[in-house]
Amino acid sequence: MSDAYLDANAIRAETFVRYVEIHETLGSTNNRAIELARDVTLELPALIAARHQTAGRGRGANKWSSSEGSLTFSLLLEPAQHEIPTTKWPQLALTTAVAIVDALTPELNPQSLARLAIKWPNDIMLNDAKLCGILTESPGGPAPAKDRLIIGIGININNSFCDPPPAARGLAPPISLTDTTGHTHDLQQILRNVLNSIHNRIVQLAHNDPQLFTTLQSLCWLTEKTVEVSQDHNRQIRGQCLGIDHDGALLIEDSFRTHQIRSGSVRTL
Ligand code: BTN
């Protein structure tokens, strides 16, 4: 473990995080968070960051590759400590996405046409390319792990995709902040701002603050697009996206009715 690329003491001093691990190389920060979730003495929230991940995971069978200059980290927290009941756990990925947009917006030149948006359920888009992925996981098992949640976040910051690998079918091509702004961004400052925004937005979620929902609606990248949603058992729904409802479900209108989609993957048509 090394704190060469991020400052653990500053993170503890300037954010709501109480325990920090900074790794040079790790398989997956989410996997390390799953291990730590069993430790009853651990002070939470805990942050596990890695400069390089060798086995980063995305949703489903997807992998997450982390090249030099990206931010890859996991937050392990106990939602009840933040007045978030289990019924609201499914909304934590979108709440985190709003927080990340809050923190990244000042990094963009206000004169540029670059636009950040949230692609339900867990991606952040910069214009029409993928800037960030979020993977929330429940460690499961007996207490204390079963009461804890992991929010894994990968943000492309200074890792350029000028020569991107071919995007897998149906997946958005990757992009980084530096590809858009042309300059190098401060990883420590962005991480601090992301963590503070997550804390603020979690407080809003706990208190049903309507501002969280209004912001989420305004950031929904899929609204008005024609999409295909793939769910379990090969079930597919095609229709027009009407946005996201108060519970975080995606609203898709087809010729029969409006569907409330709670899980699945989406591609635009
Ligand atoms: C996705 O786009 O499907 C989600 C990607 C999530 C990647 C992050 S990187 C930090 C954390 N550790 C992992 O193994 N995955 C998440």
Side-chain angles (χ1 to χ4, degrees), residues 28-30 53 56-59 64 73 123 130 133-134 152-154:
S28 151
T29 57
N30 267 32
Q53 282 188 135
R57 295 187 287 107
R59 288 180 80 224
W64 182 266
F73 60 96
D123 291 345
K130 179 164 169 172
I134 300 166
I153 299 170

Side-chain angles (χ1 to χ4, degrees), residues 18-259:
R18 298 277 55 90
Y19 172 86
V20 179
E21 281 187 6
I22 310 287
H23 296 262
E24 267 299 297
T25 305
L26 201 60
S28 151
T29 57
N30 267 32
N31 289 354
R32 175 65 184 145
I34 290 171
E35 283 171 19
L36 288 171
R38 298 185 212 118
D39 182 349
V40 73
T41 65
L42 193 72
E43 277 196 275
L44 297 178
L47 176 89
I48 303 97
R51 188 172 190 170
H52 304 283
Q53 282 188 135
T54 53
R57 295 187 287 107
R59 288 180 80 224
N62 294 342
K63 293 185 171 56
W64 182 266
S65 71
S66 338
S67 44
E68 178 71 27
S70 64
L71 259 184
T72 48
F73 60 96
S74 301
L75 199 57
L76 170 64
L77 46 81
E78 205 156 292
Q81 286 182 348
H82 305 276
E83 299 172 59
I84 306 288
T86 43
T87 49
K88 283 188 178 171
W89 285 23
Q91 294 179 55
L92 277 165
L94 287 170
T95 301
T96 299
V98 173
I100 295 170
V101 172
D102 292 339
L104 296 184
T105 299
E107 302 291 322
L108 297 172
N109 179 346
Q111 261 97 57
S112 85
L113 293 176
R115 180 176 176 253
L116 290 162
I118 294 169
K119 178 171 178 251
W120 185 96
N122 68 329
D123 291 345
I124 294 175
M125 310 295 283
L126 180 52
N127 299 331
D128 290 329
K130 179 164 169 172
L131 181 76
C132 166
I134 300 166
L135 179 65
T136 54
E137 293 187 301
S138 167
K146 72 173 177 52
D147 300 319
R148 297 175 168 179
L149 190 79
I150 295 157
I151 306 175
I153 299 170
I155 315 176
N156 297 318
I157 311 265
N158 296 322
N159 48 323
S160 176
F161 290 97
C162 279
D163 192 10
R169 193 182 155 277
L171 294 182
I175 194 170
S176 71
L177 266 186
T178 196
D179 288 334
T180 301
T181 64
H183 63 87
T184 303
H185 298 259
D186 183 334
L187 293 185
Q188 175 79 23
Q189 185 180 302
I190 291 179
L191 178 60
R192 183 198 61 211
N193 293 346
V194 167
L195 293 170
N196 286 331
S197 297
I198 289 176
H199 189 198
N200 293 338
R201 291 295 185 180
I202 284 179
V203 170
Q204 288 191 323
L205 178 65
H207 296 137
N208 299 317
D209 186 330
Q211 208 235 324
L212 174 60
F213 177 70
T214 312
T215 309
L216 176 60
Q217 276 289 17
S218 69
L219 290 172
C220 179
W221 184 74
L222 293 168
T223 300
E224 293 183 8
K225 290 188 164 78
T226 303
V227 303
E228 181 182 82
V229 183
S230 303
Q231 296 183 295
D232 291 345
H233 312 296
N234 284 334
R235 185 165 182 245
Q236 285 178 338
I237 295 166
R238 282 181 178 213
Q240 198 189 30
C241 178
L242 303 181
I244 297 170
D245 75 5
H246 279 87
D247 295 328
L250 192 71
L251 299 173
I252 305 295
E253 183 180 62
D254 64 12
S255 34
F256 303 104
R257 64 185 178 93
T258 301
H259 301 260

